[in-house]
Amino acid sequence: MKRTVRLATLPLNKGKYDELYSVVGHYTNAKRVFVAHLRQASLWGLLDRSKSFRDYAKTHGLYPTSINVHLIDQAAFDAVDTCIRHIESCFARANIKAKTWRRFTDENERHYAYACLARYSAIGQIMGGGIPEIPTVAIPPDARAKIAAYLHRVIRDALGSSWPTVVKARSMSLDSGLYSVADGDTPKGKTRRYVQVVSSTPHKRISLPLSGISRVSGNIRVVLDEERKRAFVHVSYDVARQDRATGPAVALDWGITEVCTDSSGVHHGKEYGPALRSMAERRNKTGKARNKLHALSKRDAGSRRTKHIARNNLGTKKQQARLRRTKAQLQTISGATIKEVVYGDGNRTRAKKRVPQLPSQRPREIIIEDLSHLQGKV
């Protein structure tokens, strides 16, 4: 099991940020071409092994010139992963495996159907009107044809006309050969950690100063933060498996004034209500003021004052930034609350430090009410 940690960099100067944006742009352009090319079902056999698509893209001239070839390799692997995630998400939303189980009762037929769904080469062959041959499953040809026809129909309905597209140049994935980690001293004598990533210039790297000291290794993802002109480095860490929880079962009731209330009557996440109320009051107050300015701009359209108001007071940049901060605050409160419920007395915080986490402190079962069928109706 792995956990992804987001490491923030310090704000970057204009030259460094523009250079990083240029590299991400080259990566995104290459990935856009790869994802669009993989829309052909006849190429889905290359999804079983990402290096197969890399070799295919090189031999068919899909690789751009004058760009680091190892960076484009990562774009090819990323494109394969994006297409796989899209196909699997469509299968999950359509519940194809459950439908297949209900449709076929013979064990060999189920085995053949699931073997086809586990191989993207077989899925591509089915979508092309073919009938895959699975060596490990021996069933008659007419049964294979029947199963392939059924899978073609349900997969076609699940995928529809959808296919992922790469629009924004926002992130890139790097392996250990495309970056390095170095430490340096600040003017105040403190240690500063730098992640030096590949650049557009050969034999030159972009040095990204991290805001803290953290271990950076393995494959990473660099994500641009356009608002603050900085970047985030996403790193995956292995998480040790814990023993099975043996504590008493806990029932939760989600709330608005707090995140949840457990079956013992304890309210968790009491900061959630005040934060939500503050956001609502702020948006209400700001919205009323903006409505007045909108009315004024319509009444005196074309005047110098109206143009000044439209340019400086009716934008959405600050409004969207405030909304992002509020959502992040609510997510932090919710996450800390769930952690408090899951770990119980073993919950580690800055105040409690690294207290022992015993299986008896964690509930063996968490019971919640599923309200998704209401679709927002109360």
Side-chain angles (χ1 to χ4, degrees):
M1 189 166 58
K2 291 185 176 291
R3 176 171 63 100
T4 299
V5 178
R6 188 176 68 168
L7 309 177
T9 69
L10 297 177
L12 308 176
N13 59 52
K14 187 178 185 303
K16 187 176 292 188
Y17 184 84
D18 291 345
E19 176 68 14
L20 184 61
Y21 184 84
S22 174
V23 176
V24 175
H26 293 320
Y27 179 95
T28 304
N29 292 336
K31 182 181 175 182
R32 183 182 299 115
V33 174
F34 296 150
V35 170
H37 208 73
L38 282 170
R39 185 163 192 163
Q40 307 172 58
S42 58
L43 297 179
W44 286 4
L46 302 174
L47 298 179
D48 289 325
R49 186 171 175 268
S50 57
K51 291 184 179 180
S52 299
F53 176 72
R54 178 199 63 183
D55 299 338
Y56 170 88
K58 285 183 178 180
T59 55
H60 286 73
L62 298 181
Y63 267 48
T65 57
S66 69
I67 300 176
N68 190 311
V69 67
H70 299 296
L71 180 67
I72 306 304
D73 286 345
Q74 291 300 310
F77 300 153
D78 199 3
V80 170
D81 183 64
T82 298
C83 296
I84 289 175
R85 289 173 182 269
H86 174 74
I87 294 173
E88 293 296 335
S89 66
C90 290
F91 286 5
R93 285 197 299 269
N95 215 8
I96 287 181
K97 290 186 177 180
K99 290 179 180 178
T100 304
W101 178 271
R102 291 193 295 266
R103 175 70 179 229
F104 304 105
T105 56
D106 183 72
E107 288 299 324
N108 288 330
E109 291 181 348
R110 287 175 175 174
H111 188 187
Y112 176 80
Y114 285 146
C116 290
L117 292 176
R119 296 168 172 82
Y120 297 105
S121 56
I123 295 173
Q125 191 174 351
I126 289 173
M127 297 308 293
I131 303 174
E133 291 188 8
I134 307 298
T136 57
V137 185
I139 60 173
D142 57 340
R144 289 205 308 267
K146 179 183 66 174
I147 297 171
Y150 174 76
L151 292 179
H152 180 276
R153 185 168 64 254
V154 295
I155 292 174
R156 180 195 60 199
D157 294 341
L159 294 176
S161 60
S162 64
W163 193 252
T165 55
V166 183
V167 179
K168 294 189 66 176
R170 190 166 179 262
S171 69
M172 61 180 177
S173 177
L174 305 176
D175 64 5
S176 56
L178 293 174
Y179 75 91
S180 58
V181 181
D183 292 339
D185 294 331
T186 65
K188 294 184 178 180
K190 296 183 178 180
T191 302
R192 175 74 65 199
R193 177 150 295 178
Y194 298 89
V195 178
Q196 300 168 342
V197 301
V198 64
S199 70
S200 302
T201 307
H203 310 296
K204 181 183 177 183
R205 295 201 167 185
I206 306 171
S207 186
L208 306 177
L210 297 180
S211 59
I213 302 293
S214 297
R215 177 172 58 86
V216 180
S217 61
N219 288 0
I220 65 172
R221 179 170 289 274
V222 179
V223 183
L224 297 178
D225 183 4
E226 188 177 357
E227 180 185 353
R228 298 189 180 182
K229 299 299 180 184
R230 61 176 180 176
F232 291 103
V233 179
H234 293 193
V235 186
S236 296
Y237 297 133
D238 290 324
V239 179
R241 290 188 176 274
Q242 295 183 330
D243 296 332
R244 188 177 183 85
T246 59
V250 174
L252 298 181
D253 180 32
W254 304 116
I256 297 178
T257 55
E258 67 281 325
V259 176
C260 61
T261 304
D262 62 20
S263 50
S264 301
V266 179
H267 300 285
H268 300 276
K270 296 181 180 179
E271 307 90 353
Y272 190 85
L276 197 61
R277 189 181 309 109
S278 174
M279 179 195 72
E281 292 175 353
R282 179 69 178 266
R283 294 194 68 177
N284 182 41
K285 181 180 178 181
T286 306
K288 288 181 179 179
R290 287 171 65 90
N291 287 341
K292 293 181 180 179
L293 293 178
H294 270 296
L296 181 61
S297 63
K298 290 181 180 179
R299 187 169 62 247
D300 300 331
S303 65
R304 181 179 178 183
R305 181 187 180 191
T306 301
K307 293 179 180 178
H308 179 83
I309 291 174
R311 184 171 61 252
N312 298 286
N313 302 101
L314 294 179
T316 59
K317 185 181 295 185
K318 186 182 293 186
Q319 191 178 41
Q320 291 174 353
R322 187 182 297 121
L323 181 61
R324 280 196 298 270
R325 290 195 298 269
T326 305
K327 284 185 176 180
Q329 180 188 9
L330 296 176
Q331 289 174 357
T332 300
I333 296 172
S334 302
T337 301
I338 298 303
K339 186 167 169 278
E340 177 184 329
V341 172
V342 169
Y343 288 102
D345 294 334
N347 184 30
R348 294 173 179 174
T349 62
R350 290 184 178 178
K352 296 171 66 175
K353 306 295 183 183
R354 292 182 64 85
V355 296
Q357 294 179 337
L358 305 177
S360 59
Q361 296 171 332
R362 292 181 280 119
R364 65 176 182 274
E365 188 178 18
I366 297 179
I367 305 167
I368 60 174
E369 184 180 6
D370 184 12
L371 302 177
S372 58
H373 62 281
L374 296 179
Q375 299 181 351
K377 302 175 183 178
V378 180

